[in-house]
Each structure stands twice: as structure tokens, then as C-alpha cells.
Amino acid sequence: MITIYHYNKCSKSRQALTLLEEKGIDFSVRYYLQHPLNKEEISALQQKLQIPLIRMVRTDEVIYKELFDKMTPSESELIQAMVENPVLLQRPVVETESKAVIARPPEKLLEII
């Protein structure tokens, strides 16, 4: 099953959702702002993405700057920040059973489906 971690106000996220629909792919939507990921889910997603944790984080968000002004957070601090502030998760993320991708641009999701 494919899951898209979706934020409806994000144009890239909406484009990725539309692309999945156009391709006729069966998928589920997780509105991660309403249903935040827990620590274990963030770690599992990072393993599927195969990227450094910091690349999963929207470092331009005001909350990130407030939390980590002029400091380099540890991975545990980043994960905790993402749990408490789900807006920090890069979007959209598309996940399969074995892989995941940050779909920026949205066509990037085609690499894993």
C-alpha cells in the first residue's frame, strides 16, 4: 500500500496527490498535521527515505528557527521537534512498504511506484 503524507494547503502536496490519482494508483492519505507521526514512525520513515534526518525537516519554518536558533540540533532533538511540531516534516512524502521519497517535485514519487 502507498501512503502520502499530505498537507492540503501545500501546492506540491496537492500535485503529488493528483499525480497518484491520475496514475490510478491505490493509496491512502495521512493528514500528518492532524495525525502526527510518533518517534518510531519518523525513524522508520527516515530509514525508507535513506537520507539524513535534517533533510526531512523544513528548516525554513519559523518554529524550527525559534527552537534551534544558531545551534545544530541532535537527531533526538530533531525527532522530538517533529513529533511536537508536525509542520516541520518535509512534504509531501510518499511511502511504499519498502521505500519512501520526498516528492519535490511531485514526479519524484514515480521513482518508487
Side-chain angles (χ1 to χ4, degrees), residues 66-97:
E66 289 173 356
L67 290 171
F68 304 115
D69 183 40
K70 298 177 184 162
M71 68 173 277
T72 302
S74 67
E75 286 207 357
S76 62
E77 289 171 325
L78 281 175
I79 290 173
Q80 188 62 39
M82 292 169 73
V83 168
E84 294 173 4
N85 305 281
V87 72
L88 291 175
L89 179 66
Q90 282 288 0
R91 58 184 180 253
V93 176
V94 178
E95 175 185 34
T96 68
E97 288 184 27

PDB file of all heavy atoms in Angstrom, residues 66-97:
ATOM      1  N   GLU A  66      12.940  29.184  15.751  1.00  0.00           N
ATOM      2  CA  GLU A  66      12.735  29.506  17.167  1.00  0.00           C
ATOM      3  C   GLU A  66      13.359  28.447  18.074  1.00  0.00           C
ATOM      4  O   GLU A  66      13.957  28.763  19.096  1.00  0.00           O
ATOM      5  CB  GLU A  66      11.245  29.633  17.473  1.00  0.00           C
ATOM      6  CG  GLU A  66      10.607  30.868  16.879  1.00  0.00           C
ATOM      7  CD  GLU A  66       9.099  30.892  17.051  1.00  0.00           C
ATOM      8  OE1 GLU A  66       8.513  29.910  17.572  1.00  0.00           O
ATOM      9  OE2 GLU A  66       8.494  31.903  16.651  1.00  0.00           O
ATOM     10  N   LEU A  67      13.207  27.187  17.687  1.00  0.00           N
ATOM     11  CA  LEU A  67      13.715  26.093  18.510  1.00  0.00           C
ATOM     12  C   LEU A  67      15.232  25.964  18.456  1.00  0.00           C
ATOM     13  O   LEU A  67      15.869  25.652  19.468  1.00  0.00           O
ATOM     14  CB  LEU A  67      13.096  24.764  18.061  1.00  0.00           C
ATOM     15  CG  LEU A  67      11.620  24.551  18.358  1.00  0.00           C
ATOM     16  CD1 LEU A  67      11.118  23.304  17.651  1.00  0.00           C
ATOM     17  CD2 LEU A  67      11.393  24.447  19.858  1.00  0.00           C
ATOM     18  N   PHE A  68      15.812  26.180  17.282  1.00  0.00           N
ATOM     19  CA  PHE A  68      17.223  25.851  17.083  1.00  0.00           C
ATOM     20  C   PHE A  68      18.035  27.035  16.559  1.00  0.00           C
ATOM     21  O   PHE A  68      18.981  26.854  15.807  1.00  0.00           O
ATOM     22  CB  PHE A  68      17.348  24.655  16.136  1.00  0.00           C
ATOM     23  CG  PHE A  68      16.590  23.452  16.597  1.00  0.00           C
ATOM     24  CD1 PHE A  68      15.519  22.970  15.869  1.00  0.00           C
ATOM     25  CD2 PHE A  68      16.920  22.804  17.786  1.00  0.00           C
ATOM     26  CE1 PHE A  68      14.799  21.847  16.299  1.00  0.00           C
ATOM     27  CE2 PHE A  68      16.213  21.694  18.223  1.00  0.00           C
ATOM     28  CZ  PHE A  68      15.152  21.223  17.473  1.00  0.00           C
ATOM     29  N   ASP A  69      17.685  28.213  16.988  1.00  0.00           N
ATOM     30  CA  ASP A  69      18.395  29.408  16.560  1.00  0.00           C
ATOM     31  C   ASP A  69      19.897  29.280  16.808  1.00  0.00           C
ATOM     32  O   ASP A  69      20.346  29.120  17.940  1.00  0.00           O
ATOM     33  CB  ASP A  69      17.846  30.634  17.298  1.00  0.00           C
ATOM     34  CG  ASP A  69      18.491  31.924  16.844  1.00  0.00           C
ATOM     35  OD1 ASP A  69      18.712  32.067  15.633  1.00  0.00           O
ATOM     36  OD2 ASP A  69      18.772  32.774  17.710  1.00  0.00           O
ATOM     37  N   LYS A  70      20.659  29.300  15.730  1.00  0.00           N
ATOM     38  CA  LYS A  70      22.125  29.290  15.781  1.00  0.00           C
ATOM     39  C   LYS A  70      22.716  28.082  16.495  1.00  0.00           C
ATOM     40  O   LYS A  70      23.789  28.170  17.104  1.00  0.00           O
ATOM     41  CB  LYS A  70      22.638  30.584  16.400  1.00  0.00           C
ATOM     42  CG  LYS A  70      22.260  31.800  15.591  1.00  0.00           C
ATOM     43  CD  LYS A  70      22.713  33.071  16.239  1.00  0.00           C
ATOM     44  CE  LYS A  70      22.216  34.243  15.413  1.00  0.00           C
ATOM     45  NZ  LYS A  70      22.221  35.480  16.141  1.00  0.00           N
ATOM     46  N   MET A  71      22.016  26.968  16.473  1.00  0.00           N
ATOM     47  CA  MET A  71      22.577  25.739  17.036  1.00  0.00           C
ATOM     48  C   MET A  71      22.264  24.588  16.105  1.00  0.00           C
ATOM     49  O   MET A  71      21.340  24.659  15.307  1.00  0.00           O
ATOM     50  CB  MET A  71      22.024  25.458  18.435  1.00  0.00           C
ATOM     51  CG  MET A  71      20.544  25.110  18.474  1.00  0.00           C
ATOM     52  SD  MET A  71      19.962  24.591  20.092  1.00  0.00           S
ATOM     53  CE  MET A  71      20.401  22.880  20.122  1.00  0.00           C
ATOM     54  N   THR A  72      23.047  23.549  16.207  1.00  0.00           N
ATOM     55  CA  THR A  72      22.809  22.348  15.420  1.00  0.00           C
ATOM     56  C   THR A  72      22.152  21.315  16.323  1.00  0.00           C
ATOM     57  O   THR A  72      22.784  20.830  17.266  1.00  0.00           O
ATOM     58  CB  THR A  72      24.140  21.797  14.861  1.00  0.00           C
ATOM     59  OG1 THR A  72      24.759  22.827  14.081  1.00  0.00           O
ATOM     60  CG2 THR A  72      23.899  20.569  14.011  1.00  0.00           C
ATOM     61  N   PRO A  73      20.893  20.990  16.058  1.00  0.00           N
ATOM     62  CA  PRO A  73      20.206  20.036  16.921  1.00  0.00           C
ATOM     63  C   PRO A  73      20.709  18.610  16.716  1.00  0.00           C
ATOM     64  O   PRO A  73      21.162  18.237  15.627  1.00  0.00           O
ATOM     65  CB  PRO A  73      18.748  20.156  16.498  1.00  0.00           C
ATOM     66  CG  PRO A  73      18.802  20.649  15.094  1.00  0.00           C
ATOM     67  CD  PRO A  73      20.035  21.495  14.999  1.00  0.00           C
ATOM     68  N   SER A  74      20.600  17.810  17.764  1.00  0.00           N
ATOM     69  CA  SER A  74      20.906  16.382  17.653  1.00  0.00           C
ATOM     70  C   SER A  74      19.739  15.699  16.944  1.00  0.00           C
ATOM     71  O   SER A  74      18.654  16.274  16.788  1.00  0.00           O
ATOM     72  CB  SER A  74      21.091  15.781  19.043  1.00  0.00           C
ATOM     73  OG  SER A  74      19.847  15.790  19.731  1.00  0.00           O
ATOM     74  N   GLU A  75      19.957  14.454  16.549  1.00  0.00           N
ATOM     75  CA  GLU A  75      18.870  13.707  15.905  1.00  0.00           C
ATOM     76  C   GLU A  75      17.692  13.539  16.859  1.00  0.00           C
ATOM     77  O   GLU A  75      16.546  13.657  16.450  1.00  0.00           O
ATOM     78  CB  GLU A  75      19.359  12.355  15.383  1.00  0.00           C
ATOM     79  CG  GLU A  75      20.191  12.501  14.137  1.00  0.00           C
ATOM     80  CD  GLU A  75      20.153  11.288  13.238  1.00  0.00           C
ATOM     81  OE1 GLU A  75      19.529  10.266  13.574  1.00  0.00           O
ATOM     82  OE2 GLU A  75      20.766  11.389  12.161  1.00  0.00           O
ATOM     83  N   SER A  76      17.962  13.259  18.121  1.00  0.00           N
ATOM     84  CA  SER A  76      16.855  13.085  19.074  1.00  0.00           C
ATOM     85  C   SER A  76      16.093  14.391  19.253  1.00  0.00           C
ATOM     86  O   SER A  76      14.863  14.379  19.380  1.00  0.00           O
ATOM     87  CB  SER A  76      17.349  12.532  20.411  1.00  0.00           C
ATOM     88  OG  SER A  76      18.249  13.430  21.019  1.00  0.00           O
ATOM     89  N   GLU A  77      16.792  15.522  19.242  1.00  0.00           N
ATOM     90  CA  GLU A  77      16.110  16.817  19.339  1.00  0.00           C
ATOM     91  C   GLU A  77      15.264  17.078  18.094  1.00  0.00           C
ATOM     92  O   GLU A  77      14.142  17.597  18.196  1.00  0.00           O
ATOM     93  CB  GLU A  77      17.123  17.948  19.524  1.00  0.00           C
ATOM     94  CG  GLU A  77      17.778  17.959  20.885  1.00  0.00           C
ATOM     95  CD  GLU A  77      18.933  18.931  20.978  1.00  0.00           C
ATOM     96  OE1 GLU A  77      19.680  19.127  19.994  1.00  0.00           O
ATOM     97  OE2 GLU A  77      19.090  19.513  22.070  1.00  0.00           O
ATOM     98  N   LEU A  78      15.777  16.714  16.934  1.00  0.00           N
ATOM     99  CA  LEU A  78      15.022  16.884  15.699  1.00  0.00           C
ATOM    100  C   LEU A  78      13.759  16.030  15.703  1.00  0.00           C
ATOM    101  O   LEU A  78      12.674  16.501  15.343  1.00  0.00           O
ATOM    102  CB  LEU A  78      15.873  16.523  14.486  1.00  0.00           C
ATOM    103  CG  LEU A  78      16.869  17.551  14.002  1.00  0.00           C
ATOM    104  CD1 LEU A  78      17.703  16.980  12.861  1.00  0.00           C
ATOM    105  CD2 LEU A  78      16.176  18.832  13.574  1.00  0.00           C
ATOM    106  N   ILE A  79      13.907  14.775  16.088  1.00  0.00           N
ATOM    107  CA  ILE A  79      12.747  13.883  16.120  1.00  0.00           C
ATOM    108  C   ILE A  79      11.703  14.414  17.096  1.00  0.00           C
ATOM    109  O   ILE A  79      10.511  14.472  16.764  1.00  0.00           O
ATOM    110  CB  ILE A  79      13.164  12.436  16.463  1.00  0.00           C
ATOM    111  CG1 ILE A  79      13.939  11.831  15.286  1.00  0.00           C
ATOM    112  CG2 ILE A  79      11.941  11.583  16.806  1.00  0.00           C
ATOM    113  CD1 ILE A  79      14.552  10.487  15.560  1.00  0.00           C
ATOM    114  N   GLN A  80      12.126  14.818  18.275  1.00  0.00           N
ATOM    115  CA  GLN A  80      11.183  15.356  19.255  1.00  0.00           C
ATOM    116  C   GLN A  80      10.488  16.599  18.717  1.00  0.00           C
ATOM    117  O   GLN A  80       9.278  16.776  18.880  1.00  0.00           O
ATOM    118  CB  GLN A  80      11.879  15.659  20.579  1.00  0.00           C
ATOM    119  CG  GLN A  80      10.928  16.026  21.697  1.00  0.00           C
ATOM    120  CD  GLN A  80       9.967  14.887  22.033  1.00  0.00           C
ATOM    121  OE1 GLN A  80      10.335  13.714  22.048  1.00  0.00           O
ATOM    122  NE2 GLN A  80       8.719  15.239  22.282  1.00  0.00           N
ATOM    123  N   ALA A  81      11.226  17.457  18.043  1.00  0.00           N
ATOM    124  CA  ALA A  81      10.640  18.665  17.459  1.00  0.00           C
ATOM    125  C   ALA A  81       9.601  18.312  16.396  1.00  0.00           C
ATOM    126  O   ALA A  81       8.543  18.938  16.320  1.00  0.00           O
ATOM    127  CB  ALA A  81      11.736  19.546  16.867  1.00  0.00           C
ATOM    128  N   MET A  82       9.886  17.277  15.601  1.00  0.00           N
ATOM    129  CA  MET A  82       8.942  16.856  14.561  1.00  0.00           C
ATOM    130  C   MET A  82       7.693  16.229  15.162  1.00  0.00           C
ATOM    131  O   MET A  82       6.592  16.408  14.636  1.00  0.00           O
ATOM    132  CB  MET A  82       9.632  15.890  13.598  1.00  0.00           C
ATOM    133  CG  MET A  82      10.708  16.563  12.771  1.00  0.00           C
ATOM    134  SD  MET A  82      11.748  15.399  11.871  1.00  0.00           S
ATOM    135  CE  MET A  82      10.618  14.860  10.605  1.00  0.00           C
ATOM    136  N   VAL A  83       7.847  15.514  16.259  1.00  0.00           N
ATOM    137  CA  VAL A  83       6.690  14.931  16.941  1.00  0.00           C
ATOM    138  C   VAL A  83       5.793  16.046  17.481  1.00  0.00           C
ATOM    139  O   VAL A  83       4.568  16.011  17.314  1.00  0.00           O
ATOM    140  CB  VAL A  83       7.140  13.983  18.082  1.00  0.00           C
ATOM    141  CG1 VAL A  83       5.974  13.611  18.986  1.00  0.00           C
ATOM    142  CG2 VAL A  83       7.797  12.732  17.514  1.00  0.00           C
ATOM    143  N   GLU A  84       6.405  17.026  18.104  1.00  0.00           N
ATOM    144  CA  GLU A  84       5.650  18.109  18.728  1.00  0.00           C
ATOM    145  C   GLU A  84       5.176  19.163  17.737  1.00  0.00           C
ATOM    146  O   GLU A  84       4.212  19.879  18.015  1.00  0.00           O
ATOM    147  CB  GLU A  84       6.513  18.773  19.807  1.00  0.00           C
ATOM    148  CG  GLU A  84       6.816  17.850  20.964  1.00  0.00           C
ATOM    149  CD  GLU A  84       7.802  18.429  21.962  1.00  0.00           C
ATOM    150  OE1 GLU A  84       8.211  19.607  21.807  1.00  0.00           O
ATOM    151  OE2 GLU A  84       8.175  17.700  22.896  1.00  0.00           O
ATOM    152  N   ASN A  85       5.843  19.252  16.595  1.00  0.00           N
ATOM    153  CA  ASN A  85       5.527  20.269  15.578  1.00  0.00           C
ATOM    154  C   ASN A  85       5.518  19.605  14.201  1.00  0.00           C
ATOM    155  O   ASN A  85       6.474  19.755  13.425  1.00  0.00           O
ATOM    156  CB  ASN A  85       6.567  21.397  15.608  1.00  0.00           C
ATOM    157  CG  ASN A  85       6.710  22.012  16.968  1.00  0.00           C
ATOM    158  OD1 ASN A  85       5.904  22.826  17.381  1.00  0.00           O
ATOM    159  ND2 ASN A  85       7.745  21.599  17.697  1.00  0.00           N
ATOM    160  N   PRO A  86       4.470  18.876  13.869  1.00  0.00           N
ATOM    161  CA  PRO A  86       4.469  18.110  12.619  1.00  0.00           C
ATOM    162  C   PRO A  86       4.639  18.945  11.356  1.00  0.00           C
ATOM    163  O   PRO A  86       5.040  18.410  10.323  1.00  0.00           O
ATOM    164  CB  PRO A  86       3.117  17.384  12.640  1.00  0.00           C
ATOM    165  CG  PRO A  86       2.309  18.049  13.683  1.00  0.00           C
ATOM    166  CD  PRO A  86       3.248  18.689  14.642  1.00  0.00           C
ATOM    167  N   VAL A  87       4.411  20.246  11.438  1.00  0.00           N
ATOM    168  CA  VAL A  87       4.622  21.110  10.284  1.00  0.00           C
ATOM    169  C   VAL A  87       6.082  21.088   9.829  1.00  0.00           C
ATOM    170  O   VAL A  87       6.386  21.446   8.684  1.00  0.00           O
ATOM    171  CB  VAL A  87       4.147  22.556  10.582  1.00  0.00           C
ATOM    172  CG1 VAL A  87       5.087  23.253  11.556  1.00  0.00           C
ATOM    173  CG2 VAL A  87       3.963  23.348   9.310  1.00  0.00           C
ATOM    174  N   LEU A  88       6.983  20.611  10.673  1.00  0.00           N
ATOM    175  CA  LEU A  88       8.404  20.540  10.331  1.00  0.00           C
ATOM    176  C   LEU A  88       8.736  19.432   9.328  1.00  0.00           C
ATOM    177  O   LEU A  88       9.803  19.453   8.723  1.00  0.00           O
ATOM    178  CB  LEU A  88       9.253  20.362  11.591  1.00  0.00           C
ATOM    179  CG  LEU A  88       9.299  21.562  12.529  1.00  0.00           C
ATOM    180  CD1 LEU A  88      10.073  21.220  13.800  1.00  0.00           C
ATOM    181  CD2 LEU A  88       9.905  22.770  11.833  1.00  0.00           C
ATOM    182  N   LEU A  89       7.840  18.473   9.141  1.00  0.00           N
ATOM    183  CA  LEU A  89       8.097  17.382   8.199  1.00  0.00           C
ATOM    184  C   LEU A  89       8.044  17.911   6.772  1.00  0.00           C
ATOM    185  O   LEU A  89       7.086  18.588   6.387  1.00  0.00           O
ATOM    186  CB  LEU A  89       7.064  16.266   8.366  1.00  0.00           C
ATOM    187  CG  LEU A  89       7.190  15.073   7.418  1.00  0.00           C
ATOM    188  CD1 LEU A  89       8.478  14.299   7.693  1.00  0.00           C
ATOM    189  CD2 LEU A  89       5.984  14.157   7.547  1.00  0.00           C
ATOM    190  N   GLN A  90       9.085  17.603   5.994  1.00  0.00           N
ATOM    191  CA  GLN A  90       9.067  17.957   4.573  1.00  0.00           C
ATOM    192  C   GLN A  90       7.840  17.331   3.934  1.00  0.00           C
ATOM    193  O   GLN A  90       7.370  16.265   4.333  1.00  0.00           O
ATOM    194  CB  GLN A  90      10.318  17.422   3.875  1.00  0.00           C
ATOM    195  CG  GLN A  90      11.544  18.220   4.107  1.00  0.00           C
ATOM    196  CD  GLN A  90      11.551  19.559   3.386  1.00  0.00           C
ATOM    197  OE1 GLN A  90      10.634  19.942   2.677  1.00  0.00           O
ATOM    198  NE2 GLN A  90      12.625  20.295   3.590  1.00  0.00           N
ATOM    199  N   ARG A  91       7.352  17.979   2.895  1.00  0.00           N
ATOM    200  CA  ARG A  91       6.162  17.469   2.234  1.00  0.00           C
ATOM    201  C   ARG A  91       6.248  17.702   0.728  1.00  0.00           C
ATOM    202  O   ARG A  91       6.938  18.624   0.304  1.00  0.00           O
ATOM    203  CB  ARG A  91       4.925  18.125   2.812  1.00  0.00           C
ATOM    204  CG  ARG A  91       4.933  19.633   2.690  1.00  0.00           C
ATOM    205  CD  ARG A  91       3.727  20.239   3.362  1.00  0.00           C
ATOM    206  NE  ARG A  91       3.772  21.670   3.234  1.00  0.00           N
ATOM    207  CZ  ARG A  91       4.045  22.521   4.194  1.00  0.00           C
ATOM    208  NH1 ARG A  91       4.337  22.089   5.388  1.00  0.00           N
ATOM    209  NH2 ARG A  91       4.044  23.811   3.975  1.00  0.00           N
ATOM    210  N   PRO A  92       5.537  16.831   0.054  1.00  0.00           N
ATOM    211  CA  PRO A  92       4.857  15.628   0.505  1.00  0.00           C
ATOM    212  C   PRO A  92       5.836  14.456   0.563  1.00  0.00           C
ATOM    213  O   PRO A  92       6.807  14.404  -0.181  1.00  0.00           O
ATOM    214  CB  PRO A  92       3.818  15.385  -0.582  1.00  0.00           C
ATOM    215  CG  PRO A  92       4.481  15.910  -1.831  1.00  0.00           C
ATOM    216  CD  PRO A  92       5.306  17.101  -1.375  1.00  0.00           C
ATOM    217  N   VAL A  93       5.550  13.537   1.442  1.00  0.00           N
ATOM    218  CA  VAL A  93       6.303  12.289   1.495  1.00  0.00           C
ATOM    219  C   VAL A  93       5.379  11.197   0.986  1.00  0.00           C
ATOM    220  O   VAL A  93       4.212  11.130   1.372  1.00  0.00           O
ATOM    221  CB  VAL A  93       6.781  11.958   2.927  1.00  0.00           C
ATOM    222  CG1 VAL A  93       7.474  10.592   2.963  1.00  0.00           C
ATOM    223  CG2 VAL A  93       7.713  13.036   3.445  1.00  0.00           C
ATOM    224  N   VAL A  94       5.897  10.361   0.096  1.00  0.00           N
ATOM    225  CA  VAL A  94       5.150   9.218  -0.418  1.00  0.00           C
ATOM    226  C   VAL A  94       5.923   7.975  -0.003  1.00  0.00           C
ATOM    227  O   VAL A  94       7.132   7.886  -0.208  1.00  0.00           O
ATOM    228  CB  VAL A  94       4.974   9.295  -1.950  1.00  0.00           C
ATOM    229  CG1 VAL A  94       4.245   8.065  -2.469  1.00  0.00           C
ATOM    230  CG2 VAL A  94       4.216  10.572  -2.337  1.00  0.00           C
ATOM    231  N   GLU A  95       5.192   7.018   0.582  1.00  0.00           N
ATOM    232  CA  GLU A  95       5.819   5.831   1.166  1.00  0.00           C
ATOM    233  C   GLU A  95       5.177   4.560   0.623  1.00  0.00           C
ATOM    234  O   GLU A  95       3.952   4.474   0.507  1.00  0.00           O
ATOM    235  CB  GLU A  95       5.647   5.904   2.679  1.00  0.00           C
ATOM    236  CG  GLU A  95       6.137   4.711   3.443  1.00  0.00           C
ATOM    237  CD  GLU A  95       5.824   4.802   4.928  1.00  0.00           C
ATOM    238  OE1 GLU A  95       4.770   5.356   5.303  1.00  0.00           O
ATOM    239  OE2 GLU A  95       6.635   4.305   5.710  1.00  0.00           O
ATOM    240  N   THR A  96       6.034   3.580   0.310  1.00  0.00           N
ATOM    241  CA  THR A  96       5.564   2.237  -0.005  1.00  0.00           C
ATOM    242  C   THR A  96       5.964   1.344   1.165  1.00  0.00           C
ATOM    243  O   THR A  96       6.509   1.814   2.158  1.00  0.00           O
ATOM    244  CB  THR A  96       6.198   1.708  -1.313  1.00  0.00           C
ATOM    245  OG1 THR A  96       7.601   1.498  -1.102  1.00  0.00           O
ATOM    246  CG2 THR A  96       5.980   2.658  -2.474  1.00  0.00           C
ATOM    247  N   GLU A  97       5.773   0.060   1.020  1.00  0.00           N
ATOM    248  CA  GLU A  97       6.161  -0.859   2.099  1.00  0.00           C
ATOM    249  C   GLU A  97       7.669  -0.874   2.329  1.00  0.00           C
ATOM    250  O   GLU A  97       8.124  -1.112   3.433  1.00  0.00           O
ATOM    251  CB  GLU A  97       5.667  -2.269   1.795  1.00  0.00           C
ATOM    252  CG  GLU A  97       4.165  -2.401   1.948  1.00  0.00           C
ATOM    253  CD  GLU A  97       3.685  -3.825   1.747  1.00  0.00           C
ATOM    254  OE1 GLU A  97       4.470  -4.765   1.988  1.00  0.00           O
ATOM    255  OE2 GLU A  97       2.522  -3.979   1.367  1.00  0.00           O
TER     256      GLU A  97
END
